[in-house]
Amino acid sequence: QSVLTQPPSVSGAPGQTITIACTGSRSNIGSVYDVHWYRQLPGSAPKLLIYGNTDRPSGVPDRFSASKSGTSASLTITGLQADDEAVYFCQSYDTSLMFFGGGTKLTVL
Amino acid sequence: EVQLLESGGGLGQPGGSLRLSCELSGFTFNNFAMTWVRQVPGKGLEWVSSISSSGTTTYYADSVKGRFTISRDNSRNTLYLQMNSLRVEDTALYYCAKHQEILHYYAMDVWGQGTTVTVSS
C-alpha cells in the first residue's frame, strides 16, 4: 500500500478532460511538502510534467494543469490527445522521505 | 544538452554487491541534489535514495536502508549507489535523476535511461 494513492486507470475520448487524483495524508501532501507529477511513456524514463504543485516546466503544454488541496492533489489534462496515453505518477514526501503514487494509466479511447 | 548516463547494472547474486554509477554532463553537477529511483518492469516507481548537492545529507527508503549507500564525487560529476546484501527483490531498472535545486524536495527534472539490476542465483 503506497503512501500516495492514485486510481490504477482512467480513460477519456480525444478532446475530453480527465482528472487524476493523488490522495495522501496530513503527514505528506497535507503538510509542507510539494507534489510533483511525472509522465512515463512505454519503454521510456519518467519525465517531469508538473512541479511545485502547479507549475509546468518549459515545453509542457498548458493542457496540463495540477492543484493541491488539503491532503490531496490532482492532475487535469484537457483536450485529450492520443499521445497523452501514458502512466502518470504523483510524487511527494513524508517525514523527508520521498514517495510515489502507484501510477495511473491513461487510456485515450 | 543535459544528460545522465547510468552504468554498473548486471547480474548479482543474493547477498552480493553491485555498484551503480551515473555520470552527468551538460550542467554544474554540484548545484543539484540527486536521486536513485527503481522500477520493476510493468510496475510503479520506487524511490531508493537521495543525496544533497554537497553530499552531506542522504536519505534512504526503508527497503534499502543499511544495505545501500548513495554517494557522489562532484569532481567527477558522478553519482554512485553501492548495493550490498543484495536481495532478489532488488531486481529492477534503476534510474538516476537530477533535482531542480540543492535539496531533494524539488522535482526531478532530468532522468537517465536506467540500468538493469538482476539479483538471482
Side-chain angles (χ1 to χ4, degrees):
Chain A
Q1 189 86 13
S2 178
V3 166
L4 305 178
T5 301
Q6 297 179 237
S9 63
V10 297
S11 62
Q16 286 189 333
T17 296
I18 64 96
T19 297
I20 298 172
C22 176
T23 303
S25 67
R26 285 191 295 178
S27 62
N28 42 70
I29 295 178
S31 183
V32 299
Y33 303 115
D34 284 341
V35 177
H36 314 304
W37 292 87
Y38 302 87
R39 177 165 84 165
Q40 187 176 34
L41 297 172
S44 297
K47 178 183 174 183
L48 179 63
L49 194 63
I50 297 286
Y51 67 94
N53 303 315
T54 59
D55 296 335
R56 288 186 308 277
S58 61
V60 174
D62 59 7
R63 300 188 300 107
F64 295 88
S65 63
S67 64
K68 171 184 156 178
S69 178
T71 59
S72 294
S74 63
L75 172 71
T76 297
I77 309 174
T78 60
L80 269 181
Q81 300 177 0
D83 58 6
D84 292 333
E85 276 210 350
V87 180
Y88 294 81
F89 294 93
C90 62
Q91 180 251 303
S92 190
Y93 307 83
D94 194 313
T95 58
S96 293
L97 303 184
M98 186 186 298
F99 291 92
F100 288 94
T104 299
K105 179 173 174 50
L106 168 62
T107 300
V108 180
L109 303 171
Chain B
E1 182 187 0
V2 177
Q3 281 193 322
L4 301 177
L5 183 62
E6 301 98 334
S7 62
L11 178 64
Q13 293 208 330
S17 298
L18 283 174
R19 188 196 200 198
L20 306 185
S21 299
C22 173
E23 188 172 349
L24 296 84
S25 61
F27 63 92
T28 306
F29 180 57
N30 59 8
N31 284 350
F32 305 98
M34 298 294 296
T35 281
W36 289 98
V37 173
R38 67 186 181 185
Q39 185 174 37
V40 174
K43 302 296 184 182
L45 301 174
E46 181 188 11
W47 170 70
V48 174
S49 181
S50 297
I51 188 167
S52 61
S53 60
S54 63
T56 55
T57 305
T58 58
Y59 303 89
Y60 297 93
D62 289 345
S63 57
V64 306
K65 196 169 188 178
R67 301 187 300 120
F68 290 9
T69 301
I70 191 171
S71 63
R72 62 193 294 161
D73 185 339
N74 286 346
S75 67
R76 296 176 182 268
N77 285 358
T78 304
L79 174 73
Y80 302 101
L81 185 68
Q82 179 66 43
M83 309 166 64
N84 297 334
S85 303
L86 285 167
R87 302 171 180 169
V88 171
E89 54 265 35
D90 294 323
T91 297
L93 179 63
Y94 284 72
Y95 294 105
C96 70
K98 163 195 166 292
H99 289 266
Q100 293 173 311
E101 297 284 348
I102 62 172
L103 298 177
H104 77 308
Y105 301 109
Y106 297 89
M108 293 171 283
D109 60 350
V110 181
W111 294 65
Q113 286 305 302
T115 185
T116 298
V117 170
T118 303
V119 182
S120 173
S121 55

